[in-house]
């Protein structure tokens, strides 16, 4: 996996998600990152991250889930 993906994950997600293990995939994961998830108090990042950055996070998370 790309070091850039990992650095983005560490700076945006790792404070709450210490491991990149998620049940969501693909469009569902993109939606969760973009719109947030109230049930788990996850904020929306759609206004703070570009589509490329969100796709980068999804690529990183899906890659880690396949490890």
């Amino acid at each position: 996996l790309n070091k850039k993906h990992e650095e983005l994950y560490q700076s945006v997600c790792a404070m709450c998600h210490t491991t990149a293990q998620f049940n969501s995939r693909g469009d569902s994961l993109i939606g969760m990152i973009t719109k947030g998830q109230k049930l788990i108090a996850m904020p929306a990042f759609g206004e703070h991250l570009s589509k490329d950055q969100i796709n980068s996070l999804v690529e990183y998370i899906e890659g880690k889930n396949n490890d």
Side-chain angles (χ1 to χ4, degrees):
L1 292 169
N2 187 320
K3 181 79 170 158
K4 182 175 151 185
H5 298 326
E6 183 177 0
E7 289 172 358
L8 181 61
Y9 183 86
Q10 292 300 322
S11 68
V12 176
C13 309
M15 67 189 80
C16 296
H17 303 282
T18 56
T19 63
Q21 299 296 313
F22 295 86
N23 294 326
S24 298
R25 301 252 188 211
D27 290 340
S28 177
L29 187 54
I30 290 171
M32 186 179 288
I33 294 168
T34 302
K35 298 175 185 172
Q37 182 58 263
K38 290 181 183 181
L39 293 174
I40 60 170
M42 179 178 159
F45 290 97
E47 293 182 13
H48 307 288
L49 299 174
S50 70
K51 286 184 180 183
D52 285 343
Q53 288 174 309
I54 292 170
N55 288 331
S56 176
L57 287 172
V58 170
E59 198 174 310
Y60 176 75
I61 292 165
E62 289 182 342
K64 294 300 271 183
N65 281 341
N66 291 329
D67 285 351

